[in-house]
Amino acid sequence: MNIGIIGSGKMGTGLGKIWANKGHAVIFSYSRNQEKLNDLAATVPHAWAGTPAEAAARSEVILLATRWTDVPDALRQAGTLHGKVVIDCTNPLTADLSGLSLGFTTSAAEEIAGMAPGARVVKAFNTAFAQVYEEENRLFGSRRVTMLFCGDDPDAKTAVSRLIHDVGFDPVYCGPLTAARYLEPLAMLMISLGYSHGMGTNFALSLIRR
């Protein structure tokens, strides 16, 4: 796939590197430091640096990996995303990171769908810490991480499921995009465990079924 990464922090960098190493064509974008983007793209195969507009124009899939407060600006710079698969891995954290600014009656994913008319938004990759994507091996012993995702468009769900597999996770579909109202508070719980309760950031969810 051709994948545009909008957001050059740890989440976008970690996932972009994994996908590029899996053979996908990746464009990194949205940084205050273009030299940083150029250096990043030079470290992996099948990767380039560009603007959000270039990433959007040249890609079928867009990973939106900015801070929640930067989402409107990032989408404005990207331009039209009509028909694109947009993976939203953001969490709508308050400024002091103590809670969510949205929840239960709407979600970041639904708000993004409203800000990007015609985009096929899928919520995914928001319930694992960036450190998990940075590790060389994403197995926890013999256990694979479960990645919960939701969305409305069948083809978009199929594409995102494949990309979840490529990261080394087990995809579990949770329903329509409104299910992001539950995935985002789940991510807040993970953040609380990691930072407020001292668990760190090298842990993840894994469902057990029988």
Side-chain angles (χ1 to χ4, degrees), residues 184-208:
E184 292 168 11
L186 175 58
M188 187 68 240
L189 174 61
M190 298 284 286
I191 292 167
S192 178
L193 290 173
Y195 293 105
S196 300
H197 298 278
M199 290 184 66
T201 57
N202 200 7
F203 71 98
L205 298 171
S206 181
L207 293 181
I208 300 174

Side-chain angles (χ1 to χ4, degrees), residues 18-39:
I18 293 168
W19 288 327
N21 282 315
K22 288 289 184 178
H24 300 286
V26 172
I27 301 178
F28 292 101
S29 73
Y30 199 71
S31 174
R32 295 182 181 89
N33 187 337
Q34 186 63 35
E35 185 176 344
K36 172 189 171 184
L37 283 183
N38 294 336
D39 290 345

Side-chain angles (χ1 to χ4, degrees), residues 121-174:
V121 179
V122 176
K123 189 79 186 186
F125 299 109
N126 72 306
T127 55
F129 289 100
Q131 183 177 348
V132 178
Y133 303 124
E134 295 169 349
E135 296 291 330
E136 184 175 337
N137 185 345
R138 280 166 295 284
L139 289 174
F140 284 74
S142 61
R143 297 280 293 278
R144 288 164 63 94
V145 173
T146 300
M147 181 48 61
L148 306 168
F149 72 106
C150 64
D152 299 325
D153 184 271
D155 291 338
K157 292 184 292 184
T158 298
V160 173
S161 180
R162 176 185 168 192
L163 291 172
I164 292 170
H165 271 296
D166 284 347
V167 172
F169 295 164
D170 285 328
V172 174
Y173 177 61
C174 297

Side-chain angles (χ1 to χ4, degrees), residues 21-160:
N21 282 315
K22 288 289 184 178
H24 300 286
V26 172
I27 301 178
F28 292 101
S29 73
Y30 199 71
S31 174
R32 295 182 181 89
N33 187 337
Q34 186 63 35
E35 185 176 344
K36 172 189 171 184
L37 283 183
N38 294 336
D39 290 345
L40 170 60
T43 63
V44 287
H46 315 295
W48 295 266
T51 65
E54 290 170 332
R58 299 180 184 180
S59 304
E60 309 94 73
V61 177
I62 305 296
L63 175 72
L64 186 57
T66 69
R67 294 179 298 181
W68 172 241
T69 52
D70 290 331
V71 164
D73 180 62
L75 292 176
R76 179 187 59 79
Q77 291 193 37
T80 181
L81 296 174
H82 191 278
K84 307 288 185 178
V85 176
V86 175
I87 304 172
D88 166 33
C89 71
T90 70
N91 286 306
L93 301 175
T94 57
D96 63 0
L97 308 183
S98 65
L100 298 177
S101 59
L102 299 171
F104 301 114
T105 58
T106 187
S107 64
E110 291 168 273
E111 295 298 306
I112 287 166
M115 287 186 262
R120 298 181 290 164
V121 179
V122 176
K123 189 79 186 186
F125 299 109
N126 72 306
T127 55
F129 289 100
Q131 183 177 348
V132 178
Y133 303 124
E134 295 169 349
E135 296 291 330
E136 184 175 337
N137 185 345
R138 280 166 295 284
L139 289 174
F140 284 74
S142 61
R143 297 280 293 278
R144 288 164 63 94
V145 173
T146 300
M147 181 48 61
L148 306 168
F149 72 106
C150 64
D152 299 325
D153 184 271
D155 291 338
K157 292 184 292 184
T158 298
V160 173

Side-chain angles (χ1 to χ4, degrees), residues 10-23:
K10 291 182 178 180
M11 293 288 286
T13 297
L15 284 165
K17 283 184 172 181
I18 293 168
W19 288 327
N21 282 315
K22 288 289 184 178

